[in-house]
Amino acid sequence: MTKFLSRLDRWGPRTQGGPVVEHVQILRRVSRVSVALIRPLVVRTVAVSDPDDLLARLPDAAPYAWIRHGEGLVGWGEAARAAVPAGPGRFDWARGWLSSLFAGALIEDEVGVPGSGPVAFGSFTFDGHAPGTVLVVPRVVLARRDGRAWLTTIGDSAFDLFSPPREPGRIRYADGSLTAAQWEHRVARAVRRIKDGMLDKVVLARDLTAVAERDIDPRVLLERLAERYPECYTFSVDGLVGATPELLVRHTGQAVESLVLAGTTARGGGPADDAARGAALYASEKDRHEHAYAVASVREALAPLCSALNVPDEPELLVLPNVQHLASRVTGRLSDGASVLDVVAAMHPTAAVGGTPTGAAIGVIRELEGMDRAGYAGPVGWIDSRGDGEWGIALRCAYVSGRRARLFAGCGIMAESDPAAELAEAQAKLRVMRYALEG
């Protein structure tokens, strides 16, 4: 802990006159803060010198993280937590709980940018009727963005004991809810539903179980994911760890942005093969239709909230280390000052992770997947007291608990889908978290 705090002194809170000694002394006191004990929350945000590597600052405690290209937020400890009740009103409940909590907080924020002041990290289950949605306000948040860095503490907070990340050792894998052959059979059944005219598209997910020699340290997974997939949003919320390429919504003031991904192919064995695969994906009628459904669902969700909306006419190729996606970046301006959770509520589930039409697709998912997705393909991200925030769709992820991890991947099923090809796509997507576990 002494070594960790000495690093804190080097990049610690600054004013025009130098380090804020009193603040560092407060952080040295070991305490536990709960919302039940501190009413209201006492929040302080101060500018700090650039910590360079946010993930390297995480102590040996359950981490919270949202990182892309080395920027974003990390946090630890719990100043407040809410288990959001399942049901159709869960987003309203979450917004009300946060509004009440933040409205009563005593906030001293010398930075005043999105992500400063009190921040809640959250993970919503894919199925609104499933339990497991959680919001957590960490005791400590460290952030960096656009050449600025800041530290937020709540109450008489302290840094937890720091220790180096621990390797999980050898990993053994086993089938999850369905074997590969069973999952292919479910894909074939979904294709028949589509050809019968019940729906246009459905996304089917599969899971994989991993067991390690030792307890899995989420910090190891976060560091590997952030290094290998810098274009993605590396996240950690309440045991759900991953690196998603799909930005559901970024909310800054009245500006909103969403990155829509649908249509996927694996990377090639070399530059020529890679280029050929990308060209084939871009020309694929099946994948272009799948992408069009996803873009349309985002347009329909955002249009009632926005005074202006820009939707690209054609997708682009997003090339990641393991796969290539068709991608469209949608931008808009909110007309009524809605918070990021209002936008998330309007958009989830998109056709990219559910299907088209939504109601029919959810019914087929419940019938055929044979598992509870929990937070997989649900919204994951953060929100501050202004209503700003960033939320992604929890893809390329795993639930981590002790020595065990549950990995997820999903594929968009269309009338032209081949079960064997969809299984290969799912396996390519699972390689992201397998790499994170194995290195």
Side-chain angles (χ1 to χ4, degrees):
M1 185 173 185
T2 301
K3 191 177 296 184
F4 183 79
L5 288 170
S6 69
R7 291 203 299 272
L8 169 65
D9 290 330
R10 292 199 296 272
W11 52 265
R14 297 178 301 171
T15 64
Q16 293 181 348
V20 181
V21 177
E22 178 186 0
H23 188 70
V24 176
Q25 290 173 340
I26 290 174
L27 293 176
R28 292 177 184 275
R29 301 174 195 162
V30 179
S31 64
R32 295 291 177 183
V33 181
S34 76
V35 71
L37 295 177
I38 294 185
R39 290 287 191 181
L41 297 181
V42 179
V43 185
R44 188 182 187 200
T45 298
V46 294
V48 297
S49 54
D50 195 338
D52 184 45
D53 185 352
L54 291 173
L55 294 174
R57 308 297 178 178
L58 285 170
D60 188 13
Y64 298 90
W66 182 265
I67 301 292
R68 182 174 183 266
H69 286 306
E71 296 193 336
L73 307 89
V74 297
W76 58 95
E78 289 186 10
R81 164 186 282 266
V84 180
R90 61 182 182 152
F91 289 104
D92 289 337
W93 191 99
R95 184 181 58 233
W97 181 79
L98 285 171
S99 295
S100 176
L101 183 70
F102 290 157
L106 301 177
I107 302 172
E108 181 184 346
D109 182 0
E110 69 177 45
V111 179
V113 297
S116 66
V119 170
F121 287 79
S123 168
F124 284 77
T125 56
F126 171 80
D127 191 329
H129 296 285
T133 294
V134 64
L135 291 169
V136 177
V137 179
R139 292 186 296 120
V140 181
V141 172
L142 177 64
R144 68 192 298 254
R145 176 165 295 175
D146 298 330
R148 305 182 70 181
W150 60 93
L151 179 73
T152 298
T153 57
I154 296 182
D156 195 11
S157 298
F159 283 94
D160 292 272
L161 183 64
F162 180 85
S163 65
R166 302 174 301 279
E167 295 287 339
R170 187 166 54 99
I171 309 292
R172 294 183 291 107
Y173 295 97
D175 286 322
S177 304
L178 299 173
T179 66
Q182 289 172 330
W183 191 77
E184 283 187 284
H185 179 65
R186 303 295 174 94
V187 171
R189 289 173 60 185
V191 170
R192 288 197 294 271
R193 299 281 199 285
I194 294 169
K195 289 182 175 178
D196 288 342
M198 293 179 58
L199 69 168
D200 299 310
K201 171 193 172 181
V202 63
V203 178
L204 290 185
R206 68 182 303 250
D207 59 346
L208 188 68
T209 299
V211 181
E213 281 186 88
R214 296 178 287 277
D215 283 353
I216 300 170
D217 188 335
R219 296 175 298 171
V220 172
L221 311 188
L222 290 170
E223 289 173 357
R224 288 172 177 167
L225 291 170
E227 181 179 6
R228 189 173 179 88
Y229 303 98
E231 288 288 337
C232 294
Y233 297 86
T234 299
F235 62 87
S236 175
V237 178
D238 210 44
L240 184 63
V241 181
T244 180
E246 190 147 357
L247 177 68
L248 184 62
V249 59
R250 174 183 295 115
H251 179 296
T252 307
Q254 288 185 290
V256 291
E257 177 183 346
S258 179
L259 179 63
V260 184
L261 304 181
T264 305
T265 188
R267 293 295 302 272
D273 184 29
D274 208 37
R277 286 173 178 266
L281 173 65
Y282 199 82
S284 166
E285 184 177 355
K286 178 259 184 189
D287 290 291
R288 291 294 290 262
H289 282 165
E290 180 184 349
H291 189 80
Y293 286 136
V295 172
S297 73
V298 171
R299 181 193 292 111
E300 291 168 7
L302 287 179
L305 299 175
C306 291
S307 59
L309 191 63
N310 178 37
V311 181
D313 294 328
E314 296 288 330
E316 299 178 350
L317 276 177
L318 176 63
V319 181
L320 301 174
N322 61 320
V323 294
Q324 301 182 63
H325 293 292
L326 294 179
S328 293
R329 193 172 299 277
V330 178
T331 58
R333 187 167 183 82
L334 293 172
S335 55
D336 61 355
S339 83
V340 70
L341 279 187
D342 294 312
V343 183
V344 170
M347 295 181 69
H348 177 75
T350 68
V353 292
T356 306
T358 301
I362 296 301
V364 172
I365 289 170
R366 289 171 176 162
E367 177 191 357
L368 297 183
E369 269 190 359
M371 68 175 188
D372 177 11
R373 290 188 179 187
Y376 169 74
V380 62
W382 62 270
I383 177 174
D384 66 17
S385 59
R386 304 168 190 84
D388 288 331
E390 292 180 316
W391 290 75
I393 299 175
L395 307 175
R396 318 294 195 271
C397 61
Y399 270 105
V400 176
S401 178
R403 295 171 52 230
R404 303 181 68 86
R406 185 183 176 209
L407 288 61
F408 299 88
C411 299
I413 311 302
M414 303 281 288
E416 305 85 357
S417 291
D418 172 65
E422 299 297 343
L423 178 64
E425 180 181 322
Q427 290 171 334
K429 292 173 177 176
L430 285 168
R431 280 199 288 271
V432 172
M433 290 310 298
R434 293 188 66 160
Y435 166 78
L437 288 165
E438 299 168 15

